[in-house]
Amino acid sequence: QSVLTQPPSVSAAPGQKVTISCSGSSSNIGNNYVSWYQQLPGTAPKLLIYENNKRPSGIPDRFSGSKSGTSATLGITGLQTGDEADYYCGTWDSSLSAGKGVFGGGTKLTVL
Amino acid sequence: QVQLVESGGGVVQPGRSLRLSCAASGFTFSSYGMHWVRQAPGKGLEWVAVISYDGSNKYYADSVKGRFTISRDNSKNTLYLQMNSLRAEDTAVYYCAKGSHLVATMRGIDYWGQGTLVTVSS
């Protein structure tokens, strides 16, 4: 059971928009930055969004991130078949004992 | 360009030890926190450990605390993960990854290695 909750799967048609949610708590998302990762089949993860809403160079503006309270959202517009992948949110969890990194369980995006 | 190359994976019996290494290049290694993240076959990402830029701060996932040790040698641009008392549930691809900041936190992990497979089996 992941500390961060993501929907197992989402789907949409090419050209459409999709959002992926990531729900946490005050000890993690509520008080720390959120990042998002794309993992294409058989490859290493790739950073899409860092510090809630910033895109690394080379990431198209079709990808966007937002955070509100203890939840975060990844948005993808103009869906392409090449966007079919697993998407993960991640953040720091500042619990009582010691901090730790945490990921969501992942969301499989299908472009119909 | 940033390169992270893991080595040291393989098949190991339960209860034994293994040390992973990660050779870094293409950036100022001593200026960034570094992570280990693993992925069991067919499963999602699991964060394992992080070390600050100078090695002074280290944090671990509950599942590996007391068994795994993260370390770094900035003179060799190399990250390590010493894994002791290995269990079947430690079987996974282990990724070495670069943090986007110097401290041991998770603002973003901006570069990942290709991973090395560790299989714990008798």
Side-chain angles (χ1 to χ4, degrees):
Chain A
Q1 196 78 348
S2 301
V3 172
L4 306 179
T5 302
Q6 296 181 234
S9 63
V10 295
S11 61
Q16 297 299 304
K17 174 183 177 179
V18 71
T19 60
I20 298 173
S21 60
C22 176
S23 178
S25 67
S26 58
S27 70
N28 43 67
I29 291 178
N31 283 285
N32 292 285
Y33 289 113
V34 176
S35 49
W36 289 91
Y37 305 86
Q38 176 193 62
Q39 188 175 33
L40 297 169
T43 69
K46 175 183 177 181
L47 178 66
L48 290 178
I49 299 290
Y50 68 101
E51 293 181 7
N52 301 334
N53 54 18
K54 298 177 182 177
R55 280 178 289 106
S57 60
I59 300 300
D61 58 7
R62 300 189 299 109
F63 295 90
S64 63
S66 64
K67 187 183 103 167
S68 178
T70 59
S71 293
T73 301
L74 173 70
I76 311 173
T77 60
L79 276 172
Q80 302 172 0
T81 55
D83 295 332
E84 281 205 344
D86 293 322
Y87 292 83
Y88 297 89
C89 58
T91 189
W92 191 250
D93 191 297
S94 317
S95 57
L96 290 174
S97 54
K100 60 182 177 183
V102 290
F103 286 105
T107 299
K108 183 175 183 60
L109 168 63
T110 301
V111 181
L112 302 168
Chain B
Q1 72 282 19
V2 173
Q3 279 199 309
L4 299 168
V5 180
E6 303 94 338
S7 61
V11 180
V12 60
Q13 293 180 328
R16 304 298 290 264
S17 299
L18 205 61
R19 188 176 85 154
L20 304 183
S21 299
C22 171
S25 61
F27 66 102
T28 305
F29 181 72
S30 58
S31 295
Y32 293 93
M34 295 293 296
H35 299 257
W36 287 100
V37 177
R38 69 184 182 185
Q39 187 168 33
K43 302 297 185 181
L45 300 178
E46 180 185 14
W47 179 84
V48 173
V50 65
I51 186 169
S52 60
Y53 72 106
D54 61 353
S56 62
N57 290 291
K58 307 173 187 181
Y59 299 95
Y60 299 92
D62 293 341
S63 57
V64 307
K65 200 174 297 183
R67 299 188 300 124
F68 289 13
T69 302
I70 188 172
S71 62
R72 65 191 299 160
D73 186 336
N74 286 345
S75 68
K76 296 182 179 180
N77 287 352
T78 303
L79 177 72
Y80 303 100
L81 184 68
Q82 177 67 42
M83 304 185 293
N84 298 332
S85 303
L86 282 162
R87 307 167 180 167
E89 53 264 36
D90 295 319
T91 294
V93 172
Y94 284 74
Y95 293 104
C96 164
K98 173 185 170 294
S100 60
H101 204 264
L102 54 85
V103 298
T105 183
M106 205 162 118
R107 291 185 170 186
I109 297 177
D110 53 9
Y111 291 94
W112 300 65
Q114 285 308 299
T116 186
L117 177 61
V118 172
T119 303
V120 183
S121 173
S122 54

